Amino acid sequence: MIRRTRKIRKLRGSRTIGGGCSKKRRGAGHRGGRGKAGGHKHMWTWVVKFDPDRYGKHGFKRPQKTINKFKTVNLDYLDDNAEKLVEKELAQKEGDNIIIDVTQLGYDKVLGKGKITRSLTIKAPHFSASAVRKIEENGGEAVSL
């Protein structure tokens, strides 16, 4: 049933206004603190039951020096910018073939994203398998340094 007037109007004048014992509504003491208070003390059984991963360390973080981080470049970038790289003398042109050394550009690995439209000879320390396949399909060469 929808009330026409607020319930508080009816409860005015009563001591506890529908809250039971007057001590229960006083501060956060009746509920044992605010928020996550008492998780290591009086609310420990709740933590065990409902949130067992709240405390402690979890998982394993690999030491950063053991992780090989490669600066990567995609084939479509090299194909699109091959002429610009020749103009800036960061690549050499021999006939129809353009030779690009990606270490001069600051990269370590060539990835095979995109299409290439010309024959490129690309020199790099690392190649993905799809990059090698696409380079050789277009009559180019992937040279590992």
Side-chain angles (χ1 to χ4, degrees):
M1 186 178 94
I2 299 170
R3 291 189 178 89
R4 289 176 58 99
T5 58
R6 292 175 65 214
K7 186 178 180 182
I8 191 69
R9 300 298 304 149
K10 189 174 187 181
L11 296 172
R12 282 282 182 239
S14 72
R15 178 178 160 84
T16 57
I17 315 177
C21 176
S22 61
K23 292 178 181 178
K24 288 181 179 176
R25 303 282 285 268
R26 192 179 292 160
H30 186 68
R31 65 174 190 260
R34 288 185 170 87
K36 296 180 178 180
H40 260 316
K41 295 183 182 287
H42 56 281
M43 293 183 186
W44 181 247
T45 52
W46 180 91
V47 170
V48 168
K49 187 173 181 182
F50 298 112
D51 198 5
D53 292 333
R54 174 169 294 196
Y55 299 111
K57 294 182 178 180
H58 309 285
F60 177 77
K61 187 168 172 65
R62 286 171 62 196
Q64 291 298 300
K65 64 184 177 185
T66 64
I67 299 171
N68 292 328
K69 294 176 183 165
F70 295 119
K71 292 271 290 176
T72 60
V73 63
N74 286 309
L75 276 179
D76 59 356
Y77 172 82
L78 294 175
D79 187 56
D80 294 341
N81 296 308
E83 296 296 334
K84 293 177 188 173
L85 294 172
V86 171
E87 289 173 16
K88 293 179 183 177
E89 297 181 0
L90 294 170
Q92 291 80 39
K93 189 163 191 173
E94 291 181 3
D96 292 338
N97 195 16
I98 296 176
I99 301 168
I100 302 172
D101 188 353
V102 296
T103 56
Q104 291 179 343
L105 306 175
Y107 298 109
D108 304 321
K109 187 171 183 176
V110 178
L111 303 179
K113 182 186 172 205
K115 296 178 181 177
I116 59 173
T117 57
R118 62 183 99 213
S119 66
L120 298 173
T121 299
I122 300 174
K123 298 178 181 179
H126 304 282
F127 290 92
S128 69
S130 59
V132 172
R133 182 175 46 78
K134 288 181 182 181
I135 292 167
E136 291 174 353
E137 281 176 1
N138 278 310
E141 188 181 359
V143 180
S144 294
L145 297 176

